[in-house]
Amino acid sequence: MIALPKDNENERKIQSIESITDDMLIYVDGEKYTKEDLDYLDPKGLKSITIYNDKKAIEMYGDKAKNGVAVVETNWNKPPA
């Protein structure tokens, strides 16, 4: 049996995505997503995942963020504006 190297960075990204709940606001590159939409994201294409809870989430996004906010940034190529 061949042991594959463990990809710790992607494991952390997957764990972060799994910690996002259905009732959170979710934004990927500034666009609103659902928890279900996150299932289609390849962790290798994710730059960062930031989760805001409690007061900080409400300060940033208003009362609709009372259950938290997940902000995901990707490494996807974006067309020039």
Side-chain angles (χ1 to χ4, degrees):
M1 181 173 179
I2 299 173
L4 297 174
K6 188 165 181 149
D7 188 344
N8 290 329
E9 183 178 341
N10 281 330
E11 287 296 319
R12 281 191 300 274
K13 290 174 185 174
I14 291 168
Q15 288 173 352
S16 293
I17 287 174
E18 289 174 351
S19 71
I20 297 171
T21 61
D22 291 333
D23 55 354
M24 287 179 147
L25 287 179
I26 303 167
Y27 291 96
V28 178
D29 291 337
E31 293 184 35
K32 194 167 182 185
Y33 271 53
T34 65
K35 173 73 171 166
E36 189 175 278
D37 293 335
L38 294 180
D39 292 339
Y40 299 100
L41 295 182
D42 180 359
K44 292 179 182 177
L46 303 181
K47 182 177 176 182
S48 68
I49 301 167
T50 307
I51 296 177
Y52 299 101
N53 288 310
D54 305 323
K55 198 175 191 180
K56 181 72 173 174
I58 293 170
E59 286 174 8
M60 295 174 67
Y61 293 91
D63 288 336
K64 60 186 175 187
K66 67 180 181 254
N67 296 315
V69 179
V71 179
V72 179
E73 291 182 45
T74 69
N75 292 321
W76 303 335
N77 292 329
K78 297 180 179 55

